[in-house]
Each structure stands twice: as structure tokens, then as C-alpha cells.
Amino acid sequence: MPAEPVAPPAVTEDDPGGRTARRLVTVVALAAVLPVLYWPGRVHNFFDLKIYMRAMDWWAAGHPLYDYVQPDRVQGALYFTYPPFAALLLRPFALLPLGATVVIFTGLTVLGVVVTTRWLVTPMVRRHDLPRLFTLTVAVVLVFAVESTRETITFGQINMLLVVLILADLLFAVPGGRRWAGVGVGLATALKLFPGIFILYLLATRRWRAAMVASATATVATLLAAAVAPGDSWRFWTHELWATDRVGRTDYTGNQSLFGLLSRITAPEKPSQLPWLLLALAVTGYGLWRAARAARAGDVLAGITLTGLVGGLVSPITWTHHLYWFIPAVVVLVDSALDDDPHTVGGARRRRWLLTLAVGTGFVIIYGVVTFLDWGVAPARTDSLGEFVARNAYVLLSLLLLVVLPYRRARPERPAAS
């Protein structure tokens, strides 16, 4: 009697080879989308980095730094707008060929994305026993897909340097009580002002020493720049800092701040300062209150994220490449969703809500507000609800997350078995 044929073993969830293959296919499929997302940004051609380098050449030739200007199709005219301390750090790069500077800036940004994503995701991987390499790889690919990352790379921006300084300080140095805690936030503030919101966060969370160190670091860096370039420093702090028109049109869709939203409502006229100031104060107070509560509860990442969202909202100019802080927001949402028990009615419902919000946030920040849409070159008033939502997507998403972003409460350690 012939032997019955033996069926091949079925591929199950416990099959290591099948699982590895599926993970590899997932990573490759996600990475394959990146060229499509980066293709429109090729027109930027490291535009901002070229402005920096041309301004440094202009400065090195003996001209006043803040006299540098070049025409722009969208903004009209663009200037060098960073504080003098940033100019001191950028000036040596003008000695290099532009191609070498592009490679260095791009390489540092890529390294910054990998390092900071690892900092954000590793605690979640450990808490929920997720596959480490696969989760980190997927997370890194997704971060590279986000519009703020794409704009940072294709414009040649320095945003990831600031993010590295801030996260290294607030995730590790400050919670660990290091003597140098606050230095990273201080340096970032001296480079680009926007990170100054994190000094307020340190004050709100009663990290008095770290707040003083951050303030002192920013002051020393600023005084160092003043000693090297006294005239340019005086001009920046007394005049150029307050001239928002030097940065670009506030009504342009790429400006995803509260002031940008108001500017798009009143364009071509500028909005009244008083309503914006009142709105900014209210958002700052509420956002830092929530950030402080999150930090006191033990969720430092949620506190940092809420503070970053506040900074983006209240700054008069918040370009899309500034808005890194949606990325940790997605991590916080996913982490909180995995905390919930899916076997209870309340836990399952909350998990669905958090995962839906995480996916929705991911979709918005990957598609973006300027990459695939042409908003024209002239001031245009927002005149429909759909256009209002599309042109202010990041502002509205920031306000939503400011209210609903959850935070994890620190759980007491289990006593060791005797």
C-alpha cells in the first residue's frame, strides 16, 4: 500500500523564517515609498543652506551680516535671520566647497534622525516587549517619511541639531540630575531662539537649577558672539529680532503657527497683534500646565512633546521643518495605546481611539501641507472651510494634541521576590 503523501509544515506565527521574511518585506515596502515623498522636494536643492553659506561669504567680505538679502519667488526677499552665535558656528563651513557642506549637513541630519528615533522608541520597545530591530527600523523609515524631516534635509536646515541637543538634555541629563543639565537647551536657544520654550518648561516643572544653567548657557553663548561681532549682535537684538517680515510672509501656508493661521484669515493685511498675543498666552499657559502635569506624573516624553507643540503654535513664524514634535507625539500615542487592556470594553475603546489618532497624525505629517500642494506666490485669504483646514492642518492638529495627548503615570517598581 503506497505511503500517504506528507503535507509540508504550515507557516505559523511561531515560524522564525516566515516572520523574518514578512518583516523584511514590510521594511522594504515602506522604504520604497520614500523616493516618491522626496521627489517634489528636489526643487529646494538645499536652498536654505545656500543662503547660510552666501551670507557667510558676504560677512567674511566685511559686509554687515544682517544686510545680506536675496530675492525669492514666494517670499519676495530673504535675509540671514539666525542669531549671531549661529553665524559663528556656520562661518567655518563657508571655507569648504558647497558640495562638502551639503554632505556634512545631510549626514548629520540622517545621524540625528537615527539617534533620536532610537531614544524615543527604545523605552516603548522594552515596556511592551516589541521586536527591537524591526520596530526601530520601521520607526526610522517612518520618521524619514515625515514632511518636517524631508523639508529639513532638502532645504539643508539645522533643525535636527537642535532636536538632538534638546532631547539629550531633557530625556537624560535633566532627569538624571547631571551637573551639566540645561546646557543642551541653552545652546539650542542661543542658536535659534525657538528652543527657549523649553527653558519655560524647566521652570514649569520646577527644575530650577537646570533652568538657570540653560539660561546662563544661552547668555554666555550670546555674549561670546557679541564679543566677536559686537555691531551685528547689537543690530540683531535691538532691531532684526523684531522684524518678522525678514523671515518671510507670515500668511504663507508653510508658516504653521497661530499667527500664520490669523494671517491667512486677514490676508493681505496683517492680523491685529492683541488677539494673537492673548491667544498665544492662553495656549502657552495651558500647554505648559499640561506639560508640567505629565512630567510630574513621570512621563517626561509627553511633557517635552507638549512643550514643543506649544512652541510651534506661539512662535510668529513656524515653518514646516520646525515641527519635529509631531513625531514624539505619535510615539506617546502608540505607547499609551499598548498600555490599555484590549480585553476590557473601556480599554479596547481607548486603544482604538489612540491608535486611530496616531495613524491620523502620521498620515497628516507624512502627506504634509506644502509638499504636494501649490498655494501660489501671492497673499490669499482663506475663504472656505475646506481650505481653512488644509492650509492650517498642523496648527489644528497641534491644538488637538495639546488637549488630548495622554501621558503615562509612573508605576511603582514591583518588590523583588525574597
Side-chain angles (χ1 to χ4, degrees):
M1 185 175 181
E4 294 183 4
V6 178
V11 177
T12 67
E13 290 298 322
D14 297 325
D15 174 35
R19 184 168 59 245
T20 300
R22 288 191 295 274
R23 290 175 180 173
L24 181 60
V25 168
T26 300
V27 171
V28 171
L30 290 174
V33 178
L34 291 181
V36 177
L37 296 172
Y38 275 83
W39 184 254
R42 75 195 188 283
V43 299
H44 300 329
N45 196 25
F46 305 101
F47 183 79
D48 289 357
L49 181 57
K50 289 178 179 178
I51 290 181
Y52 305 156
M53 295 302 102
R54 289 168 186 159
M56 294 304 101
D57 290 337
W58 168 272
W59 194 29
H63 303 292
L65 174 61
Y66 295 103
D67 275 354
Y68 178 79
V69 60
Q70 73 176 50
D72 178 68
R73 183 180 70 92
V74 176
Q75 306 290 359
L78 292 176
Y79 304 78
F80 183 82
T81 57
Y82 284 3
F85 180 65
L88 289 187
L89 297 188
L90 288 170
R91 186 160 177 173
F93 288 98
L95 302 175
L96 301 175
L98 180 61
T101 303
V102 167
V103 170
I104 292 171
F105 270 64
T106 304
L108 290 176
T109 296
V110 169
L111 179 61
V113 167
V114 174
V115 170
T116 54
T117 304
R118 181 174 177 272
W119 290 347
L120 297 181
V121 174
T122 297
M124 181 176 68
V125 168
R126 290 173 178 165
R127 275 193 293 271
H128 304 291
D129 195 26
L130 302 175
R132 184 175 182 275
L133 180 60
F134 173 68
T135 304
L136 287 175
T137 304
V138 168
V140 167
V141 173
L142 290 175
V143 172
F144 275 116
V146 171
E147 184 179 62
S148 62
T149 308
R150 303 196 308 263
E151 297 275 287
T152 294
I153 291 174
T154 55
F155 272 111
Q157 272 286 342
I158 67 169
N159 297 299
M160 281 311 301
L161 169 62
L162 307 180
V163 170
V164 169
L165 289 171
I166 293 167
L167 290 183
D169 211 353
L170 298 182
L171 285 178
F172 304 108
V174 172
R178 305 289 176 83
R179 294 176 60 184
W180 49 272
V183 169
V185 169
L187 286 174
T189 302
L191 285 168
K192 203 173 179 179
L193 300 186
F194 180 101
I197 190 70
F198 292 98
I199 298 180
L200 296 183
Y201 165 76
L202 290 172
L203 292 172
T205 55
R206 301 178 184 177
R207 299 283 192 169
W208 311 118
R209 187 179 186 282
M212 287 190 293
V213 170
S215 301
T217 300
T219 301
V220 169
T222 300
L223 291 176
L224 173 63
V228 175
D232 291 309
S233 294
W234 176 259
R235 178 174 170 179
F236 176 81
W237 293 106
T238 60
H239 183 267
E240 310 305 342
L241 172 61
W242 315 103
T244 56
D245 57 328
R246 286 176 58 91
V247 184
R249 281 178 24 221
T250 59
D251 68 283
Y252 177 58
T253 305
N255 178 22
Q256 288 291 304
S257 67
L258 289 170
F259 195 74
L261 180 148
L262 295 175
S263 297
R264 287 184 283 277
I265 293 176
T266 62
E269 291 80 22
K270 289 285 184 68
S272 173
Q273 296 282 337
L274 182 58
W276 169 68
L277 284 173
L278 294 175
L279 190 57
L281 286 173
V283 168
T284 301
Y286 176 75
L288 290 179
W289 171 73
R290 284 212 72 215
R293 281 174 58 96
R296 284 196 296 271
D299 195 337
V300 174
L301 181 58
I304 297 170
T305 301
L306 288 164
T307 305
L309 294 173
V310 168
L313 286 167
V314 303
S315 174
I317 301 288
T318 300
W319 301 129
T320 50
H321 49 261
H322 296 158
L323 288 168
Y324 168 85
W325 304 103
F326 290 124
I327 294 169
V330 172
V331 175
V332 170
L333 290 168
V334 173
D335 195 8
S336 297
L338 294 177
D339 272 341
D340 288 322
D341 184 358
H343 301 296
T344 65
V345 175
R349 185 182 299 115
R350 187 171 185 272
R351 172 176 280 201
R352 284 195 300 271
W353 154 246
L354 291 173
L355 289 177
T356 300
L357 184 56
V359 171
T361 299
F363 173 80
V364 171
I365 63 178
I366 288 174
Y367 184 79
V369 296
V370 295
T371 299
F372 301 103
L373 300 168
D374 183 4
W375 297 108
V377 298
R381 182 174 298 183
T382 303
D383 57 5
S384 70
L385 178 60
E387 190 175 83
F388 176 81
V389 173
R391 295 188 71 188
N392 299 290
Y394 288 167
V395 183
L396 300 175
L397 182 59
S398 295
L399 291 170
L400 173 64
L401 290 172
L402 209 60
V403 175
V404 304
L405 191 75
Y407 53 84
R408 303 175 66 257
R409 296 188 179 276
R411 295 174 181 175
E413 296 290 332
R414 294 180 180 178
S418 56

